[in-house]
Amino acid sequence: MPKLFTGLSAFPLTPADPDGIVDTAALGTLVDRLVTAGVDSIGLLGSTGIYAYLDRVQRGRAIAAAMEATGGRVPLMVGIGALRTSWATDLARDAERAGASGLLLAPVSYAALTKGEAAAHYRAVAGATALPLCIYNNPGTTHFTFSEALIADLATVPGIAAIKMPLPADDDYAGELARLRATTPETFAIGYSGDWGAAASLLAGGDAWYSAVAGVLPDLALRLTRAAQGGDASEATAIDAAFAPLWALFKTHGSLRLMYTIGDRLSLPVGDPPPPIMRARTDVTATVDAALDHLGVYLN
């Protein structure tokens, strides 16, 4: 199973100005910080990386800056979600030419996709390059949910190597993993996003944690990951409990806006949210400060 789709995958913000021009120097700083922390991979241009708000030129600039910052030290997975299949395949080829290690594809749409349309989209994009592709199952933003049958079908497509799953509504990670693994190849990697489910999903045997918070707090996210991977449920649960106030804020306000707030508090060059998205309100900022304080000893 490729390292790209196992362990901790950190998703940084993409610093940009209100016109969507990427600050490549700032992005390089954020990426280098993740490499130094020792994350297993970097997920560039994910939802936290504001891919949906950047045009093809700016996405290309972001990939080039991130590749330079990694210097080949950490695998780079690049988000290539786009409305048209032809646009997504163009973005996939751009990422391949730039030296990316893999691709992350969300089923972006305006008109709701049918299962057949989604399947055709993934088959076409997977066949456009030699890079391994991860399915981005994110119904909260795309409003498309992959059935287990569709996942099983796509897992057999050459080039499709992994899936980034949302957290199960019933928290039955072990059950869901068992069902998915029974119908997908042994080499197919199954990981989760939704940071508050990290400890539970990893302890249940999930292959990867695709993490927004790791984009700004990589050291602590890595400690949680390594504890869970090593079967140290006590340590993983303790770190997860320290994160609990922050997880509660993520559930209420979404992680994107809060990543800018945390970045500001850590004096990181995170740039501005893409309009019409705005930074969190002042009252929310105060609760973020309290949540970071609650992490206490783990941040020291």
Side-chain angles (χ1 to χ4, degrees):
M1 188 174 294
K3 180 181 178 183
L4 177 63
F5 304 124
T6 59
L8 178 64
S9 187
F11 282 66
L13 291 161
T14 305
D17 70 13
D19 293 322
I21 306 302
V22 173
D23 185 336
T24 55
L27 178 58
T29 296
L30 298 183
V31 169
D32 182 71
R33 187 168 174 266
L34 302 181
V35 173
T36 300
V39 301
D40 296 302
S41 68
I42 294 171
L44 188 74
L45 299 175
S47 297
T48 302
I50 63 170
Y51 77 94
Y53 300 92
L54 299 173
D55 63 26
R56 183 179 176 185
V57 171
Q58 294 307 315
R59 293 199 205 188
R61 294 180 70 238
I63 298 169
M67 286 301 303
E68 182 178 358
T70 63
R73 294 172 291 170
V74 172
L76 186 74
M77 177 175 62
V78 174
I80 56 166
L83 282 170
R84 295 183 65 94
T85 299
S86 61
W87 295 348
T89 55
D90 285 342
L91 291 167
R93 293 178 182 125
D94 289 347
E96 183 178 45
R97 282 191 294 266
S101 301
L103 307 170
L104 177 66
L105 179 61
V108 179
S109 67
Y110 179 81
L113 297 178
T114 67
K115 291 180 181 178
E117 290 166 344
H121 182 62
Y122 275 82
R123 290 176 185 276
V125 178
T129 76
L131 295 179
L133 183 146
C134 180
I135 298 167
Y136 192 177
N137 185 3
N138 188 3
T141 58
T142 65
H143 308 293
F144 181 86
T145 300
F146 289 84
S147 67
E148 292 182 3
L150 180 56
I151 294 170
D153 177 39
L154 291 177
T156 65
V157 174
I160 297 182
I163 189 166
K164 178 178 185 284
M165 291 288 289
L167 305 182
D170 59 1
D171 294 330
D172 183 14
Y173 299 94
E176 181 171 80
L177 285 165
R179 292 193 306 274
L180 291 173
R181 286 180 173 147
T183 58
T184 56
E186 185 178 351
T187 56
F188 186 73
I190 304 167
Y192 287 87
S193 56
D195 285 345
W196 54 92
S201 65
L202 289 169
L203 286 168
D207 295 307
W209 173 20
Y210 298 103
S211 173
V213 79
V216 287
L217 297 172
D219 297 291
L220 188 50
L222 195 60
R223 285 185 60 183
L224 191 159
T225 301
R226 295 292 182 257
Q229 286 180 313
D232 189 345
S234 177
E235 174 73 356
T237 301
I239 298 173
D240 183 60
F243 267 120
L246 193 58
W247 298 159
L249 291 172
F250 281 11
K251 293 176 185 179
T252 301
H253 303 286
S255 61
L256 177 58
R257 294 174 182 83
L258 299 185
M259 288 301 97
Y260 286 96
T261 302
I262 297 170
D264 291 341
R265 288 298 177 267
L266 298 177
S267 299
L268 298 175
V270 294
D272 298 310
I277 305 300
M278 299 179 182
R279 274 178 163 75
R281 303 186 311 268
T282 302
D283 60 319
V284 176
T285 299
T287 60
V288 171
D289 288 340
L292 292 176
D293 288 342
H294 191 262
L295 289 171
V297 66
Y298 292 105
L299 289 177
N300 298 322

